[in-house]
């Protein structure tokens, strides 16, 4: 083979190789785009089905925070006697039972939101214990009164949790 025939052969092969490389590139690009589109559609469908469950979980946790707010808790749970320790234990037990009843909701809400809710619950319990630990509080009714008085000075921890939930639900839209 002469040099001219090799050069002529290259002129025939070179366009075919260029077209083949370009075709491979576009086929690969098209395949990746189709895979992304399918993933997006599956994700969109899953989100459509999961959104009602997530919203229900946020509703349940908002209800939980409303129920453990000291003002609502004291109205719902009356002291059985005059013993402040027994009443404090009853209040804390009610909060813990509410929390345990809603434990499964953590699956549907963000970890950060769940941590805020747990912190609100723990802060509410700690506030109740702090008020009960005061020397001037000796009876269950005095405990109730002092907890109500403390609500005048500061907002309950459940308000912080509720604000966080509202913000997170707003971001879902």
């Amino acid at each position: 083979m002469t040099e001219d025939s090799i050069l002529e052969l290259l002129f025939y092969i070179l366009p075919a190789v260029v077209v083949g490389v370009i075709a491979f590139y576009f086929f690969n690009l098209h395949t990746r785009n189709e895979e992304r589109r399918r993933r997006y559609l599956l994700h969109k469908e899953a989100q459509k089905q999961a959104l009602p469950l997530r919203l229900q979980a946020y509703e349940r946790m908002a209800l939980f925070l409303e129920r453990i707010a000291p003002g609502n808790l004291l109205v719902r749970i009356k002291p059985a006697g005059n013993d402040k320790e027994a009443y404090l234990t009853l209040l804390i037990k009610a909060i813990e039972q509410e929390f345990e009843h809603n434990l499964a909701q953590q699956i549907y809400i963000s970890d950060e939101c769940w941590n805020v809710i747990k912190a609100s619950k723990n802060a509410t319990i700690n506030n109740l214990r702090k008020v009960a630990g005061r020397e001037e509080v000796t009876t269950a009714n005095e405990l109730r009164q002092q907890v109500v008085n403390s609500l005048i000075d500061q907002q309950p921890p459940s308000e912080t949790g509720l604000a966080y939930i509202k913000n997170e639900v707003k971001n879902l839209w």
Side-chain angles (χ1 to χ4, degrees), residues 136-154:
E136 67 267 14
V137 177
T138 57
T139 66
N141 285 327
E142 287 175 357
L143 174 62
R144 289 179 70 155
Q145 188 59 44
Q146 289 296 322
V147 170
V148 170
N149 290 344
S150 72
L151 293 176
I152 294 169
D153 298 334
Q154 65 183 11

Side-chain angles (χ1 to χ4, degrees), residues 22-89:
I22 291 172
F24 177 77
Y25 171 75
F26 281 117
F27 178 75
N28 205 7
L29 183 67
H30 174 71
T31 305
R32 276 187 269 144
N33 284 341
E34 280 299 308
E35 180 63 28
R36 283 189 204 127
R37 186 180 69 78
R38 273 182 277 204
R39 272 196 218 136
Y40 170 75
L41 290 175
L42 284 173
H43 181 71
K44 185 178 174 184
E45 185 63 31
Q47 286 290 350
K48 191 186 331 178
Q49 292 174 1
L51 185 62
L53 292 173
R54 289 190 73 196
L55 288 174
Q56 184 181 27
Y58 285 115
E59 288 172 4
R60 297 263 317 255
M61 295 319 299
L63 181 62
F64 164 73
L65 290 171
E66 284 291 340
R67 288 179 61 83
I68 70 164
N72 297 333
L73 189 65
L74 295 175
V75 168
R76 213 174 59 253
I77 301 172
K78 308 271 190 257
N82 218 9
D83 183 17
K84 83 169 179 179
E85 292 301 323
Y87 187 49
L88 177 64
T89 303

